[in-house]
Amino acid sequence: MSLNDLAIDVPHAAAGAAAAELRAALGDKVLLPGDAGFDAARTPWNLAVVQNPFAVAVPRSAADVVDVVRAAVLSGLRIAPQSTGHAAAALSETDLTHTVIVSLKGLRGVEVDAAAHTARVLGGSLWNDVLEAAAPHGLTAPHGSAGDVSVVGYLLSGGLSFYGRAHGLAVNTVRAVEVATADGTIVRASADEHADLFWALRGGSGAFGVVVAIEIDLLPVADIFAGMLLWDASHASEVAHAWAKWTATAPESATTALRILHLPPLPELPPFLSGRSLVVIDGAIEETDAVASALLGPLRALQPEMDTFARIPAPALVQVHMDPPEPSPSATWHAMLDELPAAAVDAFVAAADEPGLFVHELRHLGGALNRRPEGGGAIASLAGQYALHSVAMVPVPEAAPAATAAVHAGVDALAAWHTDALALTFIDAPGADRSLGFGAARSHLRQLKLEYDPANLFAAARPV
Ligand SMILES: Cc1cc2nc3c(=O)[nH]c(=O)nc-3n(C[C@H](O)[C@H](O)[C@H](O)COP(=O)(O)OP(=O)(O)OC[C@H]3O[C@@H](n4cnc5c(N)ncnc54)[C@H](O)[C@@H]3O)c2cc1C
C-alpha cells in the first residue's frame, strides 16, 4: 500500500497518540509543545506571525526529511516545509494545528561546479550561502534583495532579482530539484526525469513536497554596477516622476526600484537614515561603468543627498536594498501595474503618506521578466511592468489591524492601474487572490497536485 492510500483524517487525529508516534519515530528530530526549543523553532522570520503547529521537525539530512514525511503520514498529520519563515504571513491562512512544520534550517550547504557554472544547493540554504560559495569563482546568482531569504522558497515561487530585466525570473535558472514527495521517497525532477513534477515545482513550490536539494545555473558575474540614490522625502514627487519617465526607456540591463521610506528613530540605524522620511532609487545596471554612468545621468541630475552607485563585488548587491538584517515583524500587500502614467505616480507619492506605512515601493519589471523561456515551468515569466509593494511594521500584535489597513490603502490608491497578475513571492499576506499569481498554470498545477499529493499532505505558503 502506498502511503498516499492512508487518508489524512486531520480533525480526528488522536493528538496524544500522534505525538507519541512522532517522538518514537523521530526522537530529538521533532520538537513538540513543551519541549525546550519548540518556541524558538516555531518562530518565523516574520515575527508578526505566531505559528501554532502540532510539532516542528528539525531534519539534518535528506534521509531525516524522508523519515519526517513517513512519520507524519502515519500519524495523520500534514507537513509545511519552511526554510526561514519570510513568507509566514502567507502561510498563516492555513490552520497548522494538525501540521508538522519541517524547519530546514539544519539543511544548508552549497557545492559549486565552477566549470559548468552550476551549484547544488541543500534545501534550507540561504542566498548568502550561495553568494559566498560562488564569488571565488567569479560567479553569482539571481538572488532577491535580502540575503537571508532561502534559495528554494524564493526560486520556486519565481524570484525577482536586480538581474531580472536582463535575465528573467530567477526560477528559470533551476536545473533539477530533489524533493521528498508524499509517498515518502526522494524524487529527482528535471527536464529529463519526472518532467511534469519539475514543471509543477517551478511555481508550485512547497505544495509538492519538501525540497532537499536544488541545482541551479549561476551567472558569470564577478562584479556589478549597483547602488542607491537617496533624497529627503520632500523631493519624492520630483524623483518619482523622473524615475517613471526614466524607466520608460531604460534598457533591459537596468533593474531598479523606487521607494518612499519612513524610518523610525532607531539607534541601530545610521544617522542619515534614523527617524527620516526618504525617497530612494536603487538597483543594478549590467553595463560598463561609462555606459551605466551615462544612463544614470538624468537621475543624478536631481542631486541626490547620497549616491552609492559604483562597481561593487557581486555579493555586495545583497546590501544595496537595505533590507532588515534580522527577523522583524511586518505586514505587506502587493499589486502589479501595467503602466505608470503621471497620475499613477501622483497617487503613489500621495499614498506613501498613509499613516503607518514603512515602505512604499515600485520595482521596475518588464524586459526578460515578461518573456517565457522554452522549457520553463508553471511560473516562468511575469505579466506587468511594475510591482507595487507596501510594508508596515507590526511592533506589537495590537498594531496588526492598523498595519494591514495601511498597506491595503497604499496599494489600493493605485487600483485604477492594477493588472490581473501578482508576483507569487510578493504574496505574503492572508486574503491575497493567489489565482492571480498562478495565472494560466493554475488548473494544470491543481491536476498535478491531485496526482502527486492526493491527500493534500503538503501545506504551502502559496497553495495551488
Ligand atoms: C525582507 C524581504 C525581502 C524580500 N525580497 C524579495 C525580492 O527581492 N524578490 C523576491 O522575489 N522576493 C522577495 N521576498 C519574498 C521572498 O522571496 C518569499 O517570501 C519567499 O517565498 C521566501 O522564502 P523562504 O523560504 O525564505 O521563506 P519560508 O517562509 O520559509 O518559505 C516560503 C514557502 O516556500 C516553500 N519552501 C521553502 N523552503 C522549502 C523547501 N526546502 N521545500 C519545499 N518548500 C519550501 C514553502 O511552500 C514555504 O511555505 C522578500 C521577502 C522579505 C521578507
Side-chain angles (χ1 to χ4, degrees):
M1 181 174 65
S2 143
L3 291 178
N4 273 336
D5 295 331
L6 296 171
I8 295 181
D9 194 2
V10 169
H12 305 294
E21 283 165 14
L22 279 186
R23 175 69 80 221
L26 301 172
D28 65 357
K29 287 174 214 145
V30 70
L31 297 165
L32 294 157
D35 285 348
F38 175 78
D39 284 338
R42 75 186 166 115
T43 302
W45 186 93
N46 186 346
L47 299 172
V49 179
V50 177
Q51 301 188 131
N52 289 308
F54 186 87
V56 182
V58 286
R60 293 184 275 271
S61 66
D64 286 351
V65 172
V66 168
D67 289 346
V68 171
V69 170
R70 292 181 175 179
V73 170
L74 289 169
S75 300
L77 299 165
R78 296 188 78 200
I79 285 181
Q82 189 167 72
S83 287
T84 68
H86 272 81
L91 183 65
S92 71
E93 240 171 324
T94 301
D95 178 8
L96 298 178
T97 315
H98 296 277
T99 298
V100 180
I101 288 180
V102 180
S103 168
L104 291 145
K105 286 182 181 152
L107 204 63
R108 283 169 66 182
V110 180
E111 280 168 44
V112 172
D113 183 334
H117 288 191
T118 59
R120 181 174 183 274
V121 180
L122 296 186
S125 305
L126 310 182
W127 278 116
N128 283 332
D129 303 334
V130 175
L131 300 185
E132 190 181 317
H137 308 285
L139 300 169
T140 194
H143 56 86
S145 58
D148 62 353
V149 162
S150 96
V151 174
V152 169
Y154 163 95
L155 280 182
L156 294 186
S157 287
L160 288 171
S161 76
F162 281 137
Y163 300 102
R165 284 173 38 80
H167 296 277
L169 267 189
V171 62
N172 296 320
T173 62
V174 177
R175 289 292 149 252
V177 185
E178 294 162 42
V179 58
T181 50
D183 62 359
T185 61
I186 291 193
V187 173
R188 186 184 151 87
S190 69
D192 308 318
E193 308 140 284
H194 302 279
D196 54 353
L197 180 60
F198 184 51
W199 179 90
L201 283 161
R202 289 176 294 160
S205 188
F208 287 87
V210 184
V211 174
V212 296
I214 192 164
E215 283 172 33
I216 59 171
D217 285 335
L218 297 171
L219 299 174
V221 174
D223 48 48
I224 179 87
F225 194 89
M228 67 162 174
L229 308 173
L230 177 152
W231 299 258
D232 187 82
S234 55
H235 299 281
S237 178
E238 182 192 10
V239 170
H241 279 283
W243 181 77
K245 197 168 155 213
W246 184 84
T247 56
T249 58
E252 293 186 2
S253 53
T255 306
T256 58
L258 168 80
R259 277 174 303 162
I260 298 174
L261 297 156
H262 302 291
L263 296 165
L266 293 175
E268 56 265 39
L269 286 175
F272 73 93
L273 295 177
S274 182
R276 290 189 63 193
S277 291
L278 302 162
V279 56
V280 177
I281 293 170
D282 64 345
I285 306 179
E286 265 189 276
E287 299 282 4
T288 63
D289 292 6
V291 172
S293 293
L295 265 173
L296 277 181
L299 300 174
R300 283 178 159 163
L302 302 175
Q303 297 182 327
E305 174 183 325
M306 179 174 274
D307 175 356
T308 67
F309 267 98
R311 185 151 300 277
I312 57 172
L317 181 56
V318 89
Q319 311 293 341
V320 160
H321 205 61
M322 299 183 297
D323 278 327
E326 301 289 340
S328 59
S330 60
T332 70
W333 198 240
H334 155 60
M336 201 74 91
L337 315 178
D338 259 342
E339 51 172 6
L340 193 58
V345 175
D346 288 337
F348 174 78
V349 173
D353 285 337
E354 186 64 39
L357 268 197
F358 170 50
V359 180
H360 198 39
E361 170 166 347
L362 283 165
R363 290 208 189 182
H364 187 203
L365 308 181
L369 291 163
N370 287 156
R371 295 193 289 271
R372 184 184 169 81
E374 203 179 321
I379 300 298
S381 60
L382 259 188
Q385 298 302 315
Y386 299 88
L388 171 64
H389 192 232
S390 290
V391 184
M393 299 315 285
V394 187
V396 290
E398 298 72 35
T404 303
V407 295
H408 279 258
V411 169
D412 291 352
L414 280 85
W417 299 277
H418 290 183
T419 189
D420 280 347
L422 290 174
L424 280 173
T425 46
F426 280 15
I427 298 182
D428 194 12
D433 183 354
R434 295 189 214 94
S435 62
L436 294 181
F438 290 111
R442 189 164 176 240
S443 73
H444 191 40
L445 274 172
R446 289 166 77 103
Q447 273 170 11
L448 289 171
K449 171 79 173 171
L450 285 173
E451 200 175 305
Y452 278 96
D453 183 15
N456 200 16
L457 175 65
F458 296 110
R462 291 118 191 159
V464 299

